[in-house]
Structure formats: C-alpha cells, structure tokens
Amino acid sequence: MCGSCRSLSASLRFWGLDGNSGADGSTGVLRMLGSHYTVVDGGLASTLQAEGYEVDGDPLWSARLLATHPSAIKKVHTLFLEAGAEVVCGSYQSSVPGFQQHLGTTQKEALALIERSATLALEAVQEFEGKRGTGGHPKLVAGSVGPYGACQADGSEYTGSYIPSVTQCDLATWHRPRLEVLAGAGLQLVALETLPALSEALALLGLLQEFPDLNAWVTFSCKHASYGDNFGEAVRSCYEQGREQLIGVGINCTPPHLITPLLQEANRFLPSPHVLPRVVYPNSGEEWVPGKCFLRQWVSGSLLHKSSSPDGTSQTVSGR
C-alpha cells in the first residue's frame, strides 16, 4: 500500500458491514468481520520509515524489506494490531518482475517473497491473538494486490497511463502469479486497491474467478481529472461482474475532500452498504509529482488542481 494512504491510527473502514450481508461466496469473511464497521491497518511504508527504514525512492518501495528485513514488516503488522486494526495487509508493491529486476531473484525466489508477505502477516495475527485472544472478533489478513502501475516505479498507478497499451489479458497474466501465491498461502481475502481504471478492475475480477476461495474488495484511486471512467458506473460494473466474490467497493489514495461526493455517486449505482459495504481509505491530501524517477515526492494538498466538475468535486477514476 502506498504509504500516504493509511496511518497508524488504522483509518480504513468498511461502511455498513454486517455478518449477514454479501453473496454466498463472501458470507464467511463477512461473518468473521461481523460488525457495523471494521478498522484496517495504516500505511506500511510510512510506518516502516518511522521505524527508521529507508523506503522512499526505492523502486520496490517497502517490498524490498521482505528480502532484507522481514522482521520489520512483521513488527509493523503487530503495531497496527495493537493500535486496533482488525485487518492487516501486505504485498502491495510485490511482483515477480519487480523482484527479478531490482533484487536479481529467480522466479521461484520472487514467488517465495510474495508468499512471505502473507505468512508474516498471518504469523503476526496468530501471535497477537495468542497473547490477547480474539475478543470474539478474529483478525484477518488481506493480501494487497496493487495495480500494474504500482510496480513500474513511475507513478502510473495514479494516472493509469499504461492502460491504453496493456490489454485485459496482459493484465490478468501479469497479476496471476501473485494471486496464485496469496491463495496458496491460505488467505481468504485480497484487497484489489489503488486501481486507476475500470479495465484493470475487471481484469482482476475475472482472474479472481480462478480462485473461488478468495474474496475481495475493490478500491479505485480517484483524482481531479478523469482517466475516462465514471466512478459510479465503474463500481456498478465491478458489482455486476464480481458479486459472487466481492465483499466491498470504494476509494483509496484519494484526497479526503473527494470522498463524500464519491460515496454519494456510488450510492446512485449500487445496492445499500448493508448489501455491498463501502471501503474508504483516503490519502492525507497530497499528490504525486510526476517526472521524479523512483522518487515519491508529494506536494501540499493546497496545490491540488481544482476539479472540473460543476460542484468542485470529482466523480471520476484516476487522472492524467
């Protein structure tokens, strides 16, 4: 997960969640979550930086620490659990091509690192619950499945600039190894997150059908300018294609002032949050500055471009 999207205060919530909601394939996960809202962890990378690990400017971002300092990642999962998180996530920037290119691994070694992202989180949960119990509310691990652009180290997860040149078949082929490993590690839930365009979401939801034991939430990164997808229509398309395994839809890595109008737009196209929960984890009002190779430099939220929407809000997915 991009470091600016979450905080240690564990700010992500499922809206309108209850244990009787969802399609047949997702009721087990929903029952485990089992409350009106569920708190998810904060920014892995930003918390690792606060712990003294340098990830800013690295093309692998926090994923490098899976190879170099796995105990640090496990410690951060534990910190989030201690802060009240009920779901912990990992693996956002993990990919076979990324590890091969920037760590010089073999394909087998790269897949083992992706599996490690799941086992570290599972171990953290097991140890936490072993000491403190579940309190009647077991913790969950969600495998973070970031977009193709998140592993290109060029900021394209925020723009979707690769979408015209990459087919849905190409995207499914690229994402498949990570989903195979996360499912094989025993996860029940994946977060398909920071998606800049509907086409990648649909590719992932189609691919998800190959893994019937996995459930997912889908969240889009929404910006001041349109990649071309209306947000309400995008989340409706996701619901129509993925309803058997989809437990929620929403927004992440998006300026906070856009969240309410985006949720209102979603409500026009979707069933009640009691049927399909809403997932929300905005950023802190900052924006990616393009043209800084391998440098995730953010500018003040006051410098954000104004939306072209009549009411000053955004109802579109991602932006150029």
Coordinates of all heavy atoms in Angstrom, one line a residue, residues 12 24-25 52 104-105 113 127 148 227 229 254 258 288:
L12 N -8.9 2.9 7.8 CA -9.8 2.3 6.8 C -11.0 1.7 7.5 O -10.9 1.0 8.5 CB -9.1 1.3 6.0 CG -9.8 0.6 4.8 CD1 -8.8 0.1 3.8 CD2 -10.7 -0.5 5.2
D24 N -23.2 -15.5 -1.5 CA -22.9 -16.7 -0.8 C -21.4 -16.9 -0.6 O -20.9 -17.4 0.4 CB -23.5 -17.9 -1.7 CG -25.0 -17.9 -1.6 OD1 -25.5 -17.2 -0.7 OD2 -25.6 -18.6 -2.5
G25 N -20.6 -16.6 -1.6 CA -19.1 -16.8 -1.5 C -18.4 -16.0 -0.5 O -17.3 -16.2 -0.1
G52 N 12.6 3.8 11.1 CA 14.0 4.0 10.7 C 14.4 3.3 9.5 O 15.6 3.3 9.2
G104 N 17.4 -9.2 -8.4 CA 18.1 -10.2 -9.1 C 17.7 -11.6 -8.7 O 18.5 -12.6 -8.8
T105 N 16.4 -11.8 -8.3 CA 15.9 -13.1 -7.9 C 15.6 -14.0 -9.1 O 15.4 -13.5 -10.2 CB 14.7 -13.0 -7.0 OG1 13.6 -12.5 -7.8 CG2 14.9 -12.1 -5.8
L113 N 9.1 -14.7 -1.9 CA 9.0 -13.4 -1.2 C 7.5 -12.9 -1.1 O 7.1 -12.4 -0.1 CB 9.8 -12.4 -1.9 CG 11.4 -12.5 -1.8 CD1 12.1 -11.5 -2.6 CD2 11.8 -12.4 -0.3
E127 N 0.2 -14.7 16.6 CA 0.9 -14.3 17.9 C 0.2 -13.3 18.7 O 0.1 -13.4 19.9 CB 2.4 -13.8 17.5 CG 3.2 -14.9 17.0 CD 4.6 -14.4 16.5 OE1 4.9 -13.2 16.8 OE2 5.3 -15.2 15.8
Y148 N -0.9 -2.8 -11.7 CA 0.3 -2.9 -12.6 C 1.2 -1.7 -12.4 O 2.4 -1.9 -12.3 CB -0.1 -3.1 -14.0 CG 1.0 -3.2 -15.1 CD1 1.6 -4.4 -15.4 CD2 1.3 -2.0 -15.8 CE1 2.6 -4.4 -16.3 CE2 2.3 -2.1 -16.7 CZ 2.9 -3.3 -17.0 OH 3.9 -3.3 -18.0
Y227 N -9.5 9.8 -16.0 CA -8.9 8.9 -16.9 C -9.9 8.5 -18.0 O -9.6 8.3 -19.1 CB -8.4 7.6 -16.2 CG -7.9 6.6 -17.3 CD1 -6.6 6.8 -17.8 CD2 -8.7 5.6 -17.8 CE1 -6.2 6.0 -18.8 CE2 -8.2 4.8 -18.8 CZ -7.0 5.0 -19.3 OH -6.5 4.2 -20.4
D229 N -13.3 7.0 -16.8 CA -14.3 6.1 -16.1 C -15.1 6.9 -15.1 O -14.5 7.4 -14.2 CB -13.6 4.9 -15.5 CG -12.8 4.1 -16.4 OD1 -13.2 3.9 -17.6 OD2 -11.7 3.6 -16.0
T254 N -6.9 8.9 -2.3 CA -7.7 9.9 -3.0 C -7.8 11.1 -2.0 O -7.9 10.8 -0.8 CB -9.0 9.3 -3.3 OG1 -8.9 8.3 -4.3 CG2 -10.0 10.4 -3.8
L258 N -12.7 14.6 -1.6 CA -13.5 14.0 -2.6 C -14.3 12.8 -2.2 O -15.2 12.3 -2.9 CB -12.5 13.6 -3.7 CG -11.7 14.6 -4.4 CD1 -10.8 14.0 -5.5 CD2 -12.6 15.7 -5.0
W288 N 0.9 13.0 -6.1 CA 2.1 12.5 -6.7 C 2.6 13.6 -7.7 O 1.9 14.1 -8.5 CB 1.9 11.2 -7.4 CG 2.9 10.8 -8.4 CD1 2.9 10.9 -9.7 CD2 4.1 10.1 -8.0 NE1 4.1 10.4 -10.3 CE2 4.8 9.9 -9.2 CE3 4.7 9.6 -6.8 CZ2 6.0 9.2 -9.3 CZ3 5.9 9.0 -6.9 CH2 6.6 8.8 -8.1

